[in-house]
Amino acid sequence: MGSDQLPPFSWTEAASNWQFAPVVTVVTAVVAALYLWGAVRVARRHPARPWSMLRTASFLCGLLVVVLATQSGIGTYDDTLFWDHMIQHVMLIMIAPPLLVAGEPITLLLHASRNPLHTGVKKFLRSWPVHWLTWPVFGVVAYSATIVGTHLTSFMNLVETNDAVHNAEHVLYLVVGYLYFLPLVGREPIGWKVSYPLRLFLLFIVMPVDAFTGVVLGSESSPPFTSSEPRSWGPSTLEDVHMGGAVMWIGGAAVMFVLIMLTFFAWSRERRPSAGMGWLETARRVNLADRFAEGAGGAAGAAGAAPGARPTPRIVNVDEDDEQLAAYNAYLARINGPASGDAGSS
């Protein structure tokens, strides 16, 4: 829809001026139907453990964000107002992907499918291309390169003048956003298990990229590109660019801050000790189990055990605070006991 047909922007006009994108409509409708079919199938096969309604709602909300970004007034004015274009970008790369990831569509597919599809999906997830694409470092690099490369280069002029490139840009944002957020906010069965501290760090580390892009756009002294649809209303082209920079800087930071807080909240509610700190927590648990076995064995078998005999380890729950404290005290008493005895005899 050309800008000569569009009235001056207002949120009322944006709510009423929708554009129809057949490809987006068909794809989102098919994906939503397949997801709901999978959820119903899991509920029928496992009535005691039905698919979570929260995950279903999250995935459908992600699809809704895609529809709103491309077909609502946000999509209608995206060729006319650059700041509106930037809102669309934030929705497609920062809001829709984490919602889709939180819906855990891969896990749903594994639960709902049978062989040979089930086995094929597992082999695909274990393949080296998937392992490399879901590497958290790759996600950070791809996200940063996409944000900078599509906003601070001449690529934006191509987007503004070519509808095919513009639509491909939307797909790029969704794919890159999904790959970036997949190991950070999702619980899908991929090869990377990222600890919560590292998740927070990798979410935080891209905020300067958004801020840098917004500051550069907000400090332009002349329009770096021109709109494909000139208009006689609204802010000037330069003011429009500055407003778009503010959307990326402030809006992007706000979205990332919310995701960081949600991740921190999930960490605080995590019941699995090994999921909190990754390999560091695993090492702590192994070391603590050894200390507990030594302390318990030394306290229980000091009278009857042969000198130099190694205590037999026993399986314990090392996650209880009282048991941890008792084990540590027994261990200290054991290693300090001879020294105290020697000091007393002297």
Side-chain angles (χ1 to χ4, degrees), residues 22-256:
V23 175
V24 176
T25 301
V26 171
V27 171
T28 53
V30 169
V31 172
L34 290 174
Y35 189 95
L36 292 174
W37 173 83
V40 172
R41 183 178 176 86
V42 170
R44 289 177 178 175
R45 294 176 61 182
H46 308 285
R49 294 179 291 110
W51 189 250
S52 169
M53 292 296 295
L54 182 60
R55 281 177 286 187
T56 301
S58 176
F59 189 83
L60 295 181
C61 284
L63 294 179
L64 178 61
V65 170
V66 175
V67 172
L68 292 175
T70 55
Q71 300 193 72
S72 72
I74 299 297
T76 303
Y77 282 87
D78 65 344
D79 287 329
T80 307
L81 292 169
F82 179 71
W83 68 264
D84 176 84
H85 192 88
M86 295 300 283
I87 290 178
Q88 182 185 64
H89 288 183
V90 170
M91 295 173 69
L92 291 175
I93 199 170
M94 297 184 192
I95 300 178
L99 288 172
L100 296 174
V101 169
E104 301 183 26
I106 300 174
T107 302
L108 175 61
L109 176 59
L110 289 173
H111 287 352
S113 62
R114 296 180 178 177
N115 288 329
L117 178 60
H118 183 86
T119 302
V121 172
K122 290 196 295 185
K123 289 182 179 179
F124 175 75
L125 293 175
R126 295 168 184 169
S127 63
W128 71 263
V130 172
H131 191 71
W132 185 75
L133 289 173
T134 57
W135 184 32
V137 176
F138 174 81
V140 171
V141 173
Y143 179 94
S144 303
T146 299
I147 292 293
V148 174
T150 58
H151 295 109
L152 302 183
T153 66
S154 58
F155 179 78
M156 184 57 67
N157 284 322
L158 184 60
V159 169
E160 294 289 352
T161 57
N162 191 306
D163 289 338
V165 176
H166 194 169
N167 294 330
E169 182 190 44
H170 295 166
V171 176
L172 174 67
Y173 285 150
L174 283 173
V175 172
V176 169
Y178 189 88
L179 292 177
Y180 169 66
F181 287 110
L182 180 59
L184 304 184
V185 302
R187 303 182 66 176
E188 298 281 29
I190 59 176
W192 302 98
K193 302 300 180 183
V194 186
S195 65
Y196 277 103
L198 185 56
R199 294 185 191 191
L200 294 173
F201 173 74
L202 294 178
L203 287 171
F204 176 79
I205 201 174
V206 300
M207 293 179 68
V209 176
D210 301 329
F212 170 76
T213 303
V215 168
V216 171
L217 292 173
S219 61
E220 294 284 359
S221 58
S222 61
F225 38 78
T226 57
S227 172
S228 62
E229 297 183 354
R231 50 187 166 73
S232 58
W233 46 264
S236 67
T237 303
L238 184 58
E239 291 175 342
D240 190 22
V241 172
H242 290 171
M243 293 170 65
V247 169
M248 175 56 67
W249 181 10
I250 301 174
V255 173
M256 283 298 180

Side-chain angles (χ1 to χ4, degrees), residues 240-301:
D240 190 22
V241 172
H242 290 171
M243 293 170 65
V247 169
M248 175 56 67
W249 181 10
I250 301 174
V255 173
M256 283 298 180
F257 178 77
V258 170
L259 292 173
I260 288 173
M261 294 306 298
L262 290 175
T263 302
F264 185 82
F265 179 72
W267 184 15
S268 68
R269 294 176 59 87
E270 180 59 62
R271 299 299 184 186
R272 299 170 301 163
S274 60
M277 297 292 289
W279 66 268
L280 184 61
E281 176 66 16
T282 302
R284 182 195 71 82
R285 287 164 56 85
V286 172
N287 182 68
L288 184 59
D290 291 341
R291 293 292 180 263
F292 188 93
E294 291 178 6

